[in-house]
Amino acid sequence: MDQTTNMPKKPKVLLVEDNDTYRKVILNAMRIEGFEAFEAENGQRGLEIARQHQPDLVMVDIYMPVMDGMTMLAEFKKDPALSQIPVVMVTNVQEELDKAVKEGAEEAILKASLTPHQVIDVCRKHLNLTPLPVSNV
């Protein structure tokens, strides 16, 4: 609960993704869902935003410029202020999935076929929220 408004606290989610279009689509879905969503275009900026906002969950692309997702994950695990935040890695490279989990990600998922609805489901799962109803569309 937010002590100032007596309303349920919005879950904070950070999306770290270098593809502008994909990032905007997913952020829009997160915000519609009621998440307080933050964004970063690379791992270095993602670390800065995570330290500033202390999100409840972070979703990170593996391949990005400046600092890739695996390096960002390693930095998260070394930082006591960030190490308990669940990190979900997304990639289009099947071979990277197991490596990401071994390195400390809560989950690693293939991005290519991931719909915004599925991203929200993954967020809800790691935030211990009730899943969305399945759509017939």
Side-chain angles (χ1 to χ4, degrees):
M1 277 292 178
D2 184 323
Q3 298 300 321
T4 58
T5 63
N6 218 17
M7 299 289 292
K9 184 181 142 233
K10 286 184 173 185
K12 293 191 279 186
V13 180
L14 169 60
L15 176 63
V16 185
E17 166 64 57
D18 63 322
N19 180 304
D20 291 338
T21 302
Y22 185 79
R23 190 174 66 243
K24 297 299 181 196
V25 168
I26 299 303
L27 281 170
N28 187 53
M30 288 177 172
R31 289 177 177 142
I32 288 170
E33 180 61 23
F35 298 148
E36 186 176 354
F38 301 94
E39 65 181 297
E41 67 281 355
N42 61 62
Q44 181 177 322
R45 185 74 181 119
L47 282 171
E48 293 167 6
I49 292 171
R51 288 180 176 125
Q52 180 181 3
H53 294 284
Q54 291 292 303
D56 301 304
L57 176 68
V58 180
M59 294 194 80
V60 183
D61 186 15
I62 290 181
Y63 292 105
M64 297 179 291
V66 183
M67 178 188 287
D68 65 38
M70 294 303 286
T71 303
M72 182 183 169
L73 176 63
E75 292 296 317
F76 253 68
K77 295 305 172 187
K78 289 192 295 191
D79 186 331
L82 303 176
S83 64
Q84 298 305 310
I85 299 171
V87 177
V88 175
M89 305 297 287
V90 293
T91 184
N92 284 320
V93 181
Q94 177 76 41
E95 294 77 25
E96 295 291 333
L97 298 176
D98 288 339
K99 180 180 176 189
V101 172
K102 285 178 187 165
E103 296 294 324
E106 294 293 313
E107 184 175 1
I109 50 181
L110 282 176
K111 178 169 65 170
S113 61
L114 205 57
T115 67
H117 184 92
Q118 290 168 318
V119 171
I120 297 303
D121 280 346
V122 169
C123 290
R124 293 182 72 78
K125 176 174 90 173
H126 291 285
L127 293 166
N128 297 315
L129 300 172
T130 307
L132 293 172
V134 177
S135 172
N136 291 329
V137 179

